[in-house]
Amino acid sequence: SALQMANMTPLEKAKALAASLAAGGGPAVVMGEGGVLKIDAQAAMAKARLIAQQMESLANNPSNLTALQLQLTGGVAASYYADELDINDYPFQARRKVTNRQSIDDLTERTGVAIISRGAYVPPGKKMEPGERKLHLLIEGSSEMSVRQAKLELQRALDEETMKIGASVTSGIGLGALAGGSSGRYSVL
């Protein structure tokens, strides 16, 4: 049995362990780095039930996250903060500025957060499909302050770029120049 486990992929090992635990058989055998590691099936099932119950209570009440984190990290407090910033309704140039790889890398280096673009662009007037989310940025970090700082900087960059675009349009450059065309006077006959 241990020889068969050595030839299994990690997924196959996990399935075999789960089947052994579900069947309530004797102790499951899993290959460890130093040889064979024996696991008490009843103790493993009890721990799995406890974690599943905690995860279910977390889904119902996010304030329970700290207790679950302490349980899963062995008592070491691990922090996780996340926030979202909707960017779907901003002009293309503003969205491009905050999703540019260099901009994201700079902000990540300054604040220590991870920024992930999620959702899909939904043009004005288009109906969204069920389950579809508008384009937004997911900001994740280990402290609430770093997540808040990153969100504020992203919001500032979006607002600045939107203001530049608005000033360009009202100052006479026109939409043709923004799209790469030439600007000038046109007469309609």
Side-chain angles (χ1 to χ4, degrees), residues 92-144:
F92 172 75
Q93 293 90 339
R95 291 192 315 266
R96 191 174 79 195
K97 181 170 183 159
V98 297
T99 57
N100 175 297
R101 176 58 35 206
Q102 185 63 44
S103 298
I104 290 176
D105 289 346
D106 290 346
L107 189 57
T108 297
E109 189 174 314
R110 280 196 315 274
T111 61
V113 301
I115 301 168
I116 305 161
S117 182
R118 291 276 168 91
Y121 175 69
V122 179
K126 181 186 175 214
K127 293 197 176 208
M128 292 177 45
E129 300 292 325
E132 183 180 26
R133 294 215 35 214
K134 286 185 171 184
L135 187 62
H136 63 280
L137 296 176
L138 176 62
I139 308 162
E140 300 175 324
S142 59
S143 76
E144 185 177 2

Side-chain angles (χ1 to χ4, degrees), residues 50-162:
L50 176 66
I51 291 173
Q53 288 170 347
Q54 289 174 338
M55 290 181 84
E56 182 181 351
S57 73
L58 173 62
N60 296 332
N61 185 3
S63 64
N64 293 336
L65 181 60
T66 306
L68 179 62
Q69 284 175 333
L70 289 173
Q71 176 71 28
L72 294 176
T73 59
V76 178
S79 298
Y80 172 81
Y81 296 89
D83 202 353
E84 292 180 351
L85 177 61
D86 184 24
I87 63 172
N88 189 78
D89 299 331
Y90 283 91
F92 172 75
Q93 293 90 339
R95 291 192 315 266
R96 191 174 79 195
K97 181 170 183 159
V98 297
T99 57
N100 175 297
R101 176 58 35 206
Q102 185 63 44
S103 298
I104 290 176
D105 289 346
D106 290 346
L107 189 57
T108 297
E109 189 174 314
R110 280 196 315 274
T111 61
V113 301
I115 301 168
I116 305 161
S117 182
R118 291 276 168 91
Y121 175 69
V122 179
K126 181 186 175 214
K127 293 197 176 208
M128 292 177 45
E129 300 292 325
E132 183 180 26
R133 294 215 35 214
K134 286 185 171 184
L135 187 62
H136 63 280
L137 296 176
L138 176 62
I139 308 162
E140 300 175 324
S142 59
S143 76
E144 185 177 2
M145 181 72 89
S146 63
V147 171
R148 189 178 311 142
Q149 179 186 0
K151 184 176 181 178
L152 286 173
E153 287 191 38
L154 288 165
Q155 185 71 59
R156 182 189 50 79
L158 284 166
D159 292 343
E160 282 179 4
E161 194 65 25
T162 302

Side-chain angles (χ1 to χ4, degrees), residues 2 5-6 13 29-39:
M5 292 289 279
K13 288 179 185 178
V29 178
V30 180
M31 290 296 294
E33 288 183 40
V36 176
L37 174 66
K38 294 188 179 208
I39 298 174

